[in-house]
Amino acid sequence: MAVPNKPLHKAKKPKTSTGKPGRFAKFYAKPLGKAAVLSFALLLAAGTGFVFYWLLYFNRLIDAKLAAGPYAETSRLYASPQLLQVGEETSTEELVAQLRRCGYGESRSNRMGWYNVRRDGALEVFPGVDSYFRGEDAVVKVERGKVAEIYSLRDHTARTQYWLEPELITNLFDRKREKRRIVKFNDIPPVLVNAVLSAEDKRFFSHQGFDPIRVAGSAWQDIRKGYRYAGASTLTMQLARMFWLNQEKTWKRKLQEVLVAVLLEWKLTKEEIFEHYANQIDLGRHRSFNIHGFGEGAQVYFGKDMRQLSLTEASLLAGLIQRPNYLNPYRHPERAKGRRNIVLGLMRENGFIDEREYARAAAAPVQVAAGGGESGEAPYFVDLVYDSLQDQFAEHDFQTESYKVYTTLDINLQREANEAVRLGMVEVDNLLKARRKGKPLDLEPQVALVALDPQSGEVKALVGGRNYGASQLNRALSRRQPGSSFKPFVYAAALASAVSDEPHATITPVTTLTDEPTTFYYDNRSYEPGNFKDEYHGTVTLRQAISKSLNIPTVKLAEAAGYRAVSDLARRVGLNADPTPAVALGAYDNSPVDMAGAYTVFANRGLYSKPSWIRGIRDEGGADIFQAKPARRQVLDPRVSYLMVNLLEEVMRSGTAAGARSRGFYLPAAGKTGTSRDAWFAGFTSKLICVVYVGFDDSRDIRLEGSKAALPIWTEFMKRAHQYRAYKLVRPFEAPEGVVSMDIDPVTGQLATVSCPASRAEVFIAGTQPVESCRLHGRGATQVASWEAAPQGHPVNGEAIAAASPPPALPRAARIPNSPVASAEPGIPPPAPPAEQPKKKGFFGRLKDLFK
């Protein structure tokens, strides 16, 4: 029986449309639904366009900023190089520390230079392409605390000295008075990196520029508290805000931060982002400057290179990021310590330090740089250099181009100058308060200090005031009356009569003058100066007059030498002076810088060296665009210069500046106090000239002598300065050829004999020394000098003339007209000349002939 065919499975009946629309279709079919869909599409398109617009905008902005540098790479100011000599006391560790302060590292890629300490302890130094001494590779061996050998790797020869790299003073701050010291990521010590990560963004090296959880939390705080506490940004977002955005705390700015952060993470490495952050971060305001970057912050707050930061210092800097001015360690040390310890706790939680390190660091006190953070700074000097650059090199833009400006400043001396001024002005304040019986001062006295090299005129240290933040007026350049510190130029002009062709009486250190109240007449006017405290001393020698800073004898000396001669000499050494009697007492205004330059004629054998502060300038490529040449000229005869030095040594030995010795300064030195309405002291050794001024800005009388207000600051500075190797080897002042030393009787000024109860050495220009033995204490006949000039070529070598043969006729030291000589003690008339002497004109007759 046949089985009918059956289908293997039942065919499904196709579904037929019921004609009912879907949900979206139903919604879209309605007018309201269609409007909603179109609105959403438009919003999506607008949002996408908005994001792409800002991405393109910020992409172009970031590219432009990165191409030009996200912060202005202003010119850099460097101090003077440091000379290292064989035999000097130092250590390898000290030299390494100095190289690191100058920007050297251990990496060969360091552009400034690199160093290597060999196994035998020798130090290899390799200046880089940015170094002041490119190619001057050397090896320095230190043994038993002294430099034993210096070996040049350039020409493989032994050297006796080697110049170390100039240290960076600062970048030339911009018009906003922002200071920063540019650093590279490899220069940032790990302890500082870890402190910053713990304080600000511990997942910095793992996230992609922003942390959604932190951003959401910040947004919620904004909504709750009215847009006042937006924060919790990553380091990348903070960098975006610092470089390219404003400081508004709004949703718009927060979204922009995220966009810029994403682009930065795409364009830069994490190390580059951190490096930019480290150079730009705001670390508060100190004095008149805004401090940016960890490099400058380390210098301002701790007075050291960033690479030398300790754990406590690094954590304090990282803590300042949150609220830098509120946490300023100078003004609020307890706040700074509290925030520092929070950062230390975060570092412990993140595993960067252990419990022992945390406990030790948290217990440590806050220690900042001495001297108010300005111990190594030279803000007044920087201003001086900046003004000179603008005046002399106006065609160059030093604020936007990377010039290297090499100055004359000695960082060590600047640090000591700041500290000497700080200590000295405390003493001045106490003296003034004591005079006011404890009442507070209504106006602070001000100060200036200038130290320069006597041979070159290079300014080595400069302080223009006691607080740069309070006042940027540079008193080192302000003109004031120098008072008696000007007197040496009066005496120099007078002593120059011995080598002058002009027909007038020769003046020597034993020339006498009468110290008594005197009225001087000039240009139909009278001038009546007085001595200090109206004390007068009768007949005095030049040496006594200058050592005691007597006014009347000084004016008489200026009158005898000629007021025009005094003012001409002053002008030749860069001082302001007019030919009037008042010139003798320093009545014409001059600045401390001018006075320091003028004193070079005494410290430098009559050579005037004009003060300078810029050594050289190099452009970004390292090419020299300026090299300074010392401006020097011979102003005084070396013999006259030495006589003045000898007289100024007396000022410090027994005169108004003897207080320097009682304060512990014993090196060979010479100088002069000055008291006008202000207090002055100008003094020098063979290595340094230093001038100090103390006074009020409103020109009121400080009523303190130079010996009490200025000399202590000078002494403190010179004691400190001469501890450094470049200034240690102070030499006694040596007489040049043509100067003789004679033992004289201090009463008569004649040659001492064995019968004189006392004698002392006196110096003279050869041919002007006395040749007559003391007639008050001597015995028998003596030779009397004639008034004729000494014959040309008379041999003098600094020794007394030999007694084997009679001396040639030499001019005798004259007396000032109308100023009687005290040849003996008061009341003892001078003895009559021997009877066998040939008949000659009397003294006044010869003096009259001389002045015809």
Side-chain angles (χ1 to χ4, degrees), residues 662-694:
S662 64
R663 288 175 176 265
F665 182 72
Y666 304 114
L667 294 174
K672 185 69 188 72
T673 54
T675 306
S676 54
R677 301 183 71 82
D678 311 305
W680 291 73
F681 186 76
F684 55 92
T685 66
S686 63
K687 293 292 184 179
L688 276 177
I689 294 174
C690 178
V691 172
V692 176
Y693 150 87
V694 178

Side-chain angles (χ1 to χ4, degrees), residues 346-560:
L346 293 171
M347 294 180 72
R348 177 186 56 183
E349 292 178 13
N350 294 325
F352 293 128
I353 59 175
D354 57 30
E355 186 65 36
R356 184 177 180 182
E357 290 174 310
Y358 166 80
R360 185 185 301 113
V366 171
Q367 294 181 328
V368 290
E374 216 175 68
S375 60
E377 290 186 6
Y380 293 99
F381 180 83
V382 171
D383 282 354
L384 177 62
V385 171
Y386 182 80
D387 291 341
S388 296
L389 293 175
Q390 298 304 305
D391 293 340
Q392 300 176 35
F393 306 95
E395 68 276 15
H396 300 281
D397 189 349
F398 291 93
Q399 288 187 336
T400 60
E401 298 183 33
S402 302
Y403 290 98
K404 293 183 176 67
V405 181
Y406 296 98
T407 73
T408 63
L409 190 77
D410 186 310
I411 287 289
N412 293 326
L413 293 198
Q414 183 63 42
R415 184 178 299 112
E416 302 301 352
N418 290 335
E419 187 64 7
V421 164
R422 185 184 70 83
L423 295 172
M425 292 310 290
V426 170
E427 190 171 333
V428 171
D429 289 345
N430 290 336
L431 289 172
L432 294 176
K433 289 177 182 177
R435 195 172 64 199
R436 292 172 58 90
K437 299 180 179 180
K439 295 180 181 179
L441 301 175
D442 57 345
L443 180 66
E444 272 193 334
Q446 284 297 336
V447 63
L449 182 152
V450 179
L452 53 78
D453 183 293
Q455 278 71 47
S456 66
E458 291 186 344
V459 174
K460 295 300 180 182
L462 186 145
V463 178
R466 62 192 298 170
N467 187 329
Y468 186 80
S471 171
Q472 290 81 56
L473 175 64
N474 192 346
R475 286 90 183 168
L477 301 177
S478 298
R479 291 190 166 191
R480 306 294 290 268
Q481 293 183 6
S484 296
S485 62
F486 180 87
K487 286 179 180 176
F489 301 100
V490 177
Y491 286 77
L495 290 170
S497 64
V499 295
S500 172
D501 295 331
E502 297 294 327
H504 49 63
T506 299
I507 298 171
T508 75
V510 296
T511 299
T512 57
L513 309 102
T514 303
D515 182 28
E516 62 185 7
T518 306
T519 300
F520 298 89
Y521 296 93
Y522 180 81
D523 196 20
N524 297 321
R525 286 177 290 181
S526 63
Y527 178 59
E528 297 184 28
N531 278 352
F532 182 65
K533 295 183 179 180
D534 287 327
E535 295 177 354
Y536 300 92
H537 301 79
T539 301
V540 294
T541 64
L542 259 69
R543 181 175 293 275
Q544 293 169 329
I546 193 170
S547 68
K548 301 301 181 184
S549 196
L550 304 178
N551 289 342
I552 301 301
T554 303
V555 181
K556 288 184 176 181
L557 190 63
E559 185 179 46

